[in-house]
């Protein structure tokens, strides 16, 4: 049996682009020997020293979405890292695909769907897990640098060290062989010594299917 390559994926549940990338990664798992390991990062922590400089809509998004970040970390600490992927899917489907918002009712419904206690939603309104949020965030962002956002993906490199990259930012999420080609190409450029950036202006909004 072919050994699967671990792909560590750091996400903030509020980010629509990270959501699309995460759905692509689930497709990659189907077509390549890859196993995604989910981790939490925080757009609020990333931008905490420049909230006044952000567009109003984005500032509201990162602040309102921080409750779900806390809940994800609380769930991971109390029930293990294996709950993060299903919980992220349950939250993201409601937040992004169904556009139900980021309120407590959405969080509780997502928790119920994956068999977690609704009481975990209390974590959204307390700083009890903020140190753990920061630790998880730091683990991912240290691989990349402060000038990136979510998602961060890291895979083992040929020399044993992790190769980390931001993105890819794509819409809609590629499926099947298209997902495989994007994964292969992403790994190729990310593993090229001295490669830093490949970018073009976004000319469309996120497409959720």
């Amino acid at each position: 049996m072919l050994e699967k390559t671990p792909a560590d994926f750091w996400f903030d549940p509020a980010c629509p682009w990270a959501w699309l990338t995460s759905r692509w990664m689930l497709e990659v798992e189907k077509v390549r020997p890859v196993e995604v390991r989910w981790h939490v990062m925080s757009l609020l922590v990333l931008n905490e020293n420049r909230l006044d400089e952000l567009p109003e809509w984005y500032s509201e998004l990162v602040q309102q979405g921080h409750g779900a970040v806390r809940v994800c970390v609380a769930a991971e600490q109390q029930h293990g890292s294996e709950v993060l992927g299903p919980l992220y899917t349950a939250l993201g489907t409601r937040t992004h695909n169904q556009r139900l918002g980021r309120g407590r009712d959405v969080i509780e419904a997502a928790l119920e769907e994956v068999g977690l206690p609704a009481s975990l939603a209390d974590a959204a309104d307390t700083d009890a897990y903020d140190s753990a949020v920061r630790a998880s965030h730091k683990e991912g962002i240290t691989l990349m640098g402060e000038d990136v956002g979510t998602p961060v993906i890291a895979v083992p490199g040929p020399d044993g060290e992790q190769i980390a990259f931001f993105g890819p930012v794509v819409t809609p999420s590629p499926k099947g062989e298209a997902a495989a080609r994007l994964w292969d190409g992403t790994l190729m450029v990310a593993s090229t010594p001295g490669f830093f950036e490949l970018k073009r202006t976004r000319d469309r909004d996120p497409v959720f299917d």
Side-chain angles (χ1 to χ4, degrees):
M1 183 175 181
L2 187 62
E3 184 176 354
K4 292 186 177 181
T5 299
D8 291 287
F9 188 108
W10 280 265
F11 67 92
D12 182 316
C15 180
W17 296 102
W19 172 248
L20 288 169
T21 306
S22 73
R23 301 309 92 183
W24 164 67
M25 283 304 305
L26 294 182
E27 282 291 311
V28 171
E29 283 189 314
K30 300 175 184 177
V31 293
R32 290 292 184 267
V34 170
E35 181 179 11
V36 181
R37 302 188 300 200
W38 305 96
H39 309 272
V40 175
M41 64 183 296
S42 168
L43 289 174
L44 180 60
V45 172
L46 182 68
N47 294 286
E48 61 185 345
N49 295 321
R50 52 184 178 183
L51 286 175
D52 293 341
E53 304 171 11
L54 301 177
E56 183 177 355
W57 69 268
Y58 188 63
S59 179
E60 290 179 356
L61 181 148
V62 301
Q63 293 181 76
Q64 293 173 2
H66 194 62
V69 172
R70 288 168 161 172
V71 170
C72 283
V73 168
E76 180 183 25
Q77 290 208 336
Q78 294 185 31
H79 299 275
S81 59
E82 64 273 9
V83 305
L84 269 183
L87 180 56
Y88 180 28
T89 291
L91 285 167
T93 299
R94 288 168 172 80
T95 299
H96 303 297
N97 293 59
Q98 299 174 5
R99 302 189 180 186
L100 297 178
R102 298 180 175 84
R104 184 184 176 101
D105 58 330
V106 170
I107 293 175
E108 288 183 344
L111 290 167
E112 180 181 3
E113 178 183 325
V114 298
L116 293 172
S119 59
L120 279 170
D122 294 340
D125 300 315
T126 175
D127 62 2
Y129 293 92
D130 282 2
S131 61
V133 169
R134 288 181 178 275
S136 181
H137 175 90
K138 182 178 180 180
E139 183 183 6
I141 210 68
T142 298
L143 295 171
M144 289 299 305
E146 296 290 338
D147 58 341
V148 300
T150 175
V152 170
I153 301 175
V155 297
D159 57 359
E161 295 185 2
Q162 282 188 306
I163 299 171
F165 49 89
F166 162 67
V169 177
V170 60
T171 188
S173 297
K175 302 292 192 296
E177 187 56 30
R181 289 196 303 270
L182 179 56
W183 176 251
D184 295 342
T186 299
L187 290 186
M188 181 179 67
V189 297
S191 61
T192 299
F195 177 85
F196 295 108
E197 189 171 5
L198 179 67
K199 188 173 183 178
R200 62 181 179 180
T201 300
R202 302 178 197 177
D203 60 0
R204 66 193 68 182
D205 293 328
V207 176
F208 308 114
D209 53 15

